[in-house]
Structures are given as C-alpha cells and as structure tokens.
Amino acid sequence: MNFEELGFLALNNNDNQEAINIFRRALEKKKSADGFIGLGIAHYNLEDYQTARWAFYKALEMEPDNKEILIHISNVEKIKKQSPLPQKQSLFRAAKDYLEILSDGKWSKFFVKGMNIGLGIPGYFPGEYPIKKGTYLKWFEQMADIGINALRNYTVHPPSFYEALYQFNQSGKKLYLFQGIWVELPEGNNFYEPTFNRYVQENIKNAVDVIYGNASLPEKPGYAHGTYEYDISSNTIGFIFGREWESCAVKNFNELRTREIKDFKGEFLSIHEGTPFEIWIVKICDFLQSYEYEKYKTSHALSAANWPTLDPLYHPSESRYEEELLLQGLSAKTDICNENEDMESLDVAKIRAEKGGGFFATYHAYPYYPDFMNNDYLDKENTFLAYLKELKNHHGNQPVLVAEFGVPSCREVAHWHRDGWHHGGHNELRQGEINGLLMKTIYKAGMAGGILFSLYDEWFKKNWLFIDYYIPADRKAFWFNIQDAEENYGLLAMYPGYPQKKVSLTGKKEEWKESRVLYEKKDGSTVFKFNDGFDKTREFKRLLVQHDEGFIYILIEINEKINFTEANYLIGLDTCRPQIGEFLLPFNTKLISPIGLKFLIHLAGKEKSRILVCHSYDKYLNWPKEIKPVISKQGCWVMMKNEANKRRVSKDGKKYFPSRVFSMSRLQFGSLNRNSPHYNSLADFFFTDNIIELRIPWGLINFTDPSSKMVLWRDKNDKAIKSDGIKIIAVSYKPVKNQLQAENTGLVSNITDSFPQTLSQNNIATYSWNDWVTPIYHTYLKESYYKYKEYLSQIPEVA
Amino acid sequence: MPLTRRDFLKLSSGAFILPLSLPKNLFADYLKIPVLMYHDISNEFDDEYTISPPLFAAQMEWLYSNGYKTIFFNEVDKFIKPGDDRAAIITFDDGYASFGSYTFPLLKEYGFKATINAIGKHIGSYIKLARNRPLLSWDEYRHFIKSGLVELGCHTYDLHIYKSGLGILGFTQKEIEDDFRLFQDVAKKETGHDTKILAWPYGLYDKKTMNIAQRAGFKYILTSNEGYLQKDSDLLKIPRRNINNRHDLVSFQQYLRGGV
C-alpha cells in the first residue's frame, strides 16, 4: 500500500492525527492533489479549519478543475463557530489536606485522579504544537472512560485544547484542568533579573487569561498562539507554576543572596522565614493570584512544582557526589556545581494562604529516583508509602498533590527499585499494575491525589542513559526507542507502523509481504549434514528483513520445524564499516566471518536466546573510553548491560548501597498479539513451525538515528558515523547435548548451513533504507490502560 | 616514592616465593581446575593488577558459552573426578569496589560463583595502588554473600603491607596470629560466616606463616604459584593464575584448557 492509500485508510478509520503524518510523508515523496486533499480532510475532521483551508487550496492549485476540492473548500468556508458562554468562576479551593470542589453551594473533598498530557507526538517536538482539537477530544474521552477526573498540562496549549476541553465538559462529562506554567531558568541563576521577571509574569498572565478565554497570543517560536475564547475557568482546578527546579540553580541563587532568611506577606500568600528562592516563589505565586483576582474577581488554587530533589526532608542515605567520592578515596571536580539530590530545599510548607483559592504543595515523585527513595526506606514495607507519609507529615494540613508518578513500559531499566517498581523493564500489563499500586499508595498516604505520567508515549524525550547517544539529537522525534524509559510512560502507545504493528510476532507470513528477501535457497544444499534425521532443521530456506521507525525485523525460515535441541542459529549484524569488528563466531563454530560483525544474535530456545555485542562496542563496559568496534579474531563477545544505580555511600559514610546493573542482552520469547497465549509486549522473538521472527530495537544495536542511518562511533574524531545499511550473515549449527557449543563436524568450521551460502564478502547482502523525516505511527491503548482502570475504580473520588 | 605492587614484584623477582607446588599425581583423565586470580576491573588503569571491563566480560562470556561451571573451594572434591565436566574457580584479591559494577552482575547472569579475598582493615574504604581505588564494604559483602554466589576469603586484616619487601614474612608470629583472628572475628560478626580461605598478600609465605594459617583454621590457602587445582593437590597451597589485560582471550583460553 502506498502512502496516499494508507492515508485514506487512516481517514476511513477516523485516525486523523495519524493521517496527517501519512499524507505529509506522501507529499514528501511526491506532491499531489490527492495528498493535499487527504491532508485537508484530516485537518477538517480534527477541526483545524485554517490548515484544512490551506491544504485544499494547495490541492486546487494543482488541479484547478477538480470539483471535489471546491466542495471541500465550500464546507470549510461554511463553518461558523458557536459563541462560548462566559463562566468566570472557580469551583475549587485548597483546603485542609485536600482540594475541595463547590457543588450545589457546598464544598466537598475532591481526590485528584489525574493524567499528565504532553505535546510531543511522533515527528514533532513540543514547540511545534501539532495536536489538533479532534485528537484532544478523543483523548479526553479515553481518559474519562477509565475514571480520570483531572488533567494537567505543562504550559499553555493551542486554543484547540481549551476549545476541546470546553466542549467536552459541556457534554456533561467532566475533566478538570491543572494549568501548568512553564518557565526557563534565568541567566546567571538570578531569579530577580528584570527581563526574566517580565518574561515570567508574561507567562503567568497568559496562562490566567487563557483559561478565562480572554487571550490573543501572537505567533512566537516555541509558544502556542491564537485566539483563546473558550472560558474554562469553572473547569480549572488551579495552576501549577514552574518545573523540577535544578538544584544547582536554586543553590546558586540562594548563595547569590547570601541565604538571607526573610518573611514576606503578599495580598494572597505569605511566608515565614523563607530562603531567597522560597521568597521568590511566593512573590511570583502571589502575583498570579493578585492578577487573577484583579482581572476576574476570583482566584484559583495554586501550587509551585517541586520534586524530591528539593524536598524539605533530610535524606541520610544521600551523600553529595563530592563527599561520596572523597569517602572512596576519589576526587571530584569542585569548581562546577554537581546536581546533588539532597543539597537544597524548596519548602513550600512555609507558605500560608491569606485569602483566595489557597495554596497546595505539588511533587513529582517516582519510587525509584533519586536513590534515597529506596535507600532511606529499605526497612519499610512500602518504600514509596514511607516517603509520602514523611512528606505529608512535614506539610501538616497543607494538601500535597503527587503531580507526576508512574513507570514506563520500556525494554531497558534506568533505575532500580527494591520491590521491582523499576524505572523500566516492564511489559505493558505490569506497567498498569505498578501504576495502580502507586496510585493506591498515594491515596493511602493521605495525599490530595495523583497525576499519572503520562497519557501517551513521546518519542522526542531522552532518558539519562541515552542522552549522549542521540546523534543528531534534533531528529529524535522521528524515531521510536523502546529501550528508552523516558519515551515509554504512556498508557496510550505511539507505535511505529500503520494501521497496526508491522510485525506482531505471531508467525503471520502476510506481515512479511513487503519485506526484502535478503537470502533465499531452493536447492536444499547445506554446508554439512550429520545424517542424524535433523539436518533439515539446520537448513536455511529464506531470510527476510524489514524495518520501521522503531525496529529492524528479521525472519528466518528453516526447511523443517524449529527444534532448538538439534539446531541453534547465529545471526551476525554488521551495522557499519565491514572491515572492522569481531570476525570469529563463538560457541565452537570456529567460523571466521568475512566481515567484521558488531552484534550477534544467538537463537537457542525460549530461555537461552541472546544478543551479544563485540566487546569494544559496548557502551557500559567501555565508558569513558572509545566506544567503537575494533578488529578482533578472538571471539570477544559480551552481554550488554547498564548500571542503573551507581554504588552509594550514606552521608555518615557508614552505610554502603551496592550498584545495580541490568541486562539488555536476554531476548524474550513471546508474541505482541494480545490474543496469543505467549503475549508479552516486550517480546523480542517468536517462533512457530519453521520460522523465527525477531524484533530488534534500533536503540539496542547502537543506532543514534536510524532515520538518517547514523550509528555510534565514539572516538577522538567522531561521536557517530553514517551507515550504508546493515550487512547480515546467518549460520546454523548442531549444539552439543545440553550445551551451547557446536558439535564438531570434522571440517574447518563447525557450522551446518549459512546465509550467504558461500561466505565471502561479495556474497553478503546489505539491508538498506531511505532516510525519513515524517514518521508513520498508530496509537493503541496499552494493556496498562485497562489495568490502571481497575485500580482507579477502587479509589473514591470523594476522599 | 612509594612502590606500586607491580614494581615490588618486579624488584623482588619472586625471590620470596616458595618453589612451585607441583601436583603429586597427575592423571590426565582427572579434571584440572584452573583458579583465576583477578584484582581490579577498570578502564582507568592498565597494570598487572587490572583488567579492562570489556576484556573481563569477554572472558566470562567465553567461560559461559563453553559450558564452564564455576565453583567454590569447598566443592572441589565433587568436581575433581574423571569426566569431561569443565570447572573453574574465580577469585578476586583485595576486594575492589569494581566487583559490584562488573563482576556481580555477570555472576547473576551466568550463575557463576566467585571468592573475594578481602583486606579486613580497608573494607569500606580504599587503598592506594598507583592511585586510590575504592574497596567493597561490609554492606556489599553481605549483599553478595546472600545471593549464594560469593564467598569471602581472608587477605589478612592489616598485613597487606610492603614491609621492605618481606610482606607477611616481616611480621612476628603473634602479629600474624592476632591479625588472622581479628579478620575471622570481624568477618563472623559482619557476615555470620566462618572464614576458611586465606590468600597470601603478594603470594608470599613460608613454613612459619603456613603453620600459623593452619592453626588459625584456614582450609584453603591460595598462592600465586603456577598450576592447576587437581587430584591430590595440596589445598593449603592452591596455585592461581593472575589474569590481567595481558591475557587476551586466546591466552586466557590456553590457560583454561590446560596449555600453560
């Protein structure tokens, strides 16, 4: 199916946001009236009439006599927006321990079951504001369906968001808003710098005016713009100002003002004995409520974003980086500020509301980060509960909202948790269970509510384990990395391919119709026959390859039913520069590859299959030295791992916490099809009858950007280099009983069959692809969505 | 200028090392168990007592993919028997913190076992070998031992000292006895286990120190002598091969396969 046909299929499926990418991809390839018509219809359906009109006129330029286009244009011109009703009121307040809602003249407790919503759908960075009204409406329905009662954004979204929220709430369903106000850090960390303060106040005024449907924001790079005329003030719970403030910025600012402790009393908020940064926060928040009251005669509840790194608690297990190194006899750079996780505090418990909507505390709190979230509470039954209770205890009657929490459904673990609530490594079902347990914990701890992170997977995001390995970084939104924790938090998957997964690991041959046949053999010849009755299970028939924005897929077809007791298979991948890499295959195969291999997949059954890397190309083992393949003929293969938690020492130097290292090399058997008894969303391979299917993530085989074919190559000259594609070889062998090694054949090597049949450089096939800019994707509700719903239903909204 | 341990060994040329402990009965059919001696695993150093993380990982992968079992010293009897089982013993001297980052994860991955011979006094601290290198703590030893994959041996409490080239031979009988007792007492208190393994600092020992060690209750005494552990080997003079960056995978395999 070509991209245009695929686009119209997406329109037919009402997947209009996905259709936009597909038609853009079609138009990148070839400009056509149909492409623009499709793009126009997608925008029309999503109620972005301005872009729809533009697209239809582009189509008309190409086909001036096309009557269908004229009808589309006339439909767009006919659209008249209904005038929204003014509301100008606040129905929420921060009260004792909880937020409260005004209903029938009576205030009652409101436990927040929230969802965070970002801006980065595949192919776009957040500053491009690509999400359309129709998409928001679809998402609001999906959230409300599982019992979400509030959503939180991080900054002002385009008018379509507010229009959609207004419309959704008018329909009788309810989703309340926490409006976020994002700010960058000031130059030199001087939060009182006049230009910075004007910028902060401008952002605040815009956010306030926007929720009252009273703003017209001019076009400005990186910001949402347009006319905001939908008043959603009565559906807004409150504002959350700021971000996860970097501890160095706060420390520097406090020191800049000599850590002078002061009181401040504003019209709405006051603070007793605040640090310079706390005073600044209160002043800014007071400004918000004053501005709102002055202009709209009401005020909403308000909070300032915070996180455990700046919490006011003392964490005995979390020594500073510099101190910790010193205790181990090592020295650290002291001329720079190291982002320590317990060196500064932002204590909003000191803030008192004088009048108005009130003030509540907000924390982004995950059970696995920073390390003290485990290490301070290792003797407690529930580490997360112990932390939250301590936090709540500190805040007294002030409501405390956990405005971010959750676990991602990614392949790699980025932080360890004692009870397995790790930062990643969960399949989609387990993700839902853990999210549910975290929300129950939040409820149990007496918090004002929890806002899950997050609604959907965001491809542009970067976790600390990968941040140095996205090269070029400005193309990250173009591809999906299932290894990366940060981009897999969603309950709604943004997954490559349309209308479904290209390969579902169910052994469906039709999924391979558009793949490339890299090798094929018809004559049944092999390298060696044992004549033991199992030669055919060691005999290759075909090797197929295809890819998408997230993975490379390989299928090997054997001449007889797969039987790992009698046959093992090795697939060697050369991702770049074939003259360099590991040449010797392991397991007593004694085979010297004609090209330098970088990765080696060993298929040896459900439990023992792995992917290995040549030892000089492993990121963890070679850091901080060069990370690139070297020529080796010794068979230096290693398993891929990462150190999620480094060794830690407590502040008093008496307690040590071991490092935590996780493997990425084990290949999980399973199917991505939910109806399969082998269903596992993290499955790497599947086999049935005489075929084996593999799904290998780009991020696992050191691609730094598959959309421009860049691979990691870290030395003094480069960080990444361009690949021409992937060269692939495959061999089979007979394993010695209950072992991994090859049975001797008596020949030079102990393989039984190979692709290519004659292993020479010239015979080796390369799988290559065109660069892309607009990714194709589809969305689906993960198993975690349904699982989380079960947990939410057990938690009452009225606390 | 302080001497590094490498310098020390070069200078002493092994003059203090007792004659090699040769096997009494060599039966080709019986398994010869190679005993690997590692120290630090690091990309920052390249000396006699350091192996790089990728090379170490490749060696462990080779052991695994070639079907080796790795065992504790008290399992030796079960393995030294006719047959084609492959077994090796992995030891680490000094107790570097890098064990936690690069070894323990592989032990768990492969189901391998290892013995760490710690210097009691420096546990939870560091020692200077070229530069300061952090050492494992009791918390970490407890964590490793609990897994069943790691056992603790003694590398003396505080006699891992150059001592004008004499090493442990430069201490009095009482000093050595007290030192061994202190290690054993502290280790028992910290881990709940008796210490039955001793590794001589710098591989140096003599009749006197050997007698003291035996009286202290050490059952397995590790040397730096060349050779393999095999049928009728003296468990009080267990030979080991120091493995470092000079052992590429080929020479590593040669040792493992018996071609010393």
Side-chain angles (χ1 to χ4, degrees), chain A residues 610 641 643 647 656 666, chain B residues 61 101 109 124 135 139-140:
Chain A
R610 298 179 299 156
K641 294 188 179 294
E643 191 170 41
R647 177 186 203 224
Y656 280 76
R666 294 268 165 207
Chain B
E61 170 63 26
S101 299
E109 191 76 60
L135 295 171
D139 290 315
E140 285 157 305

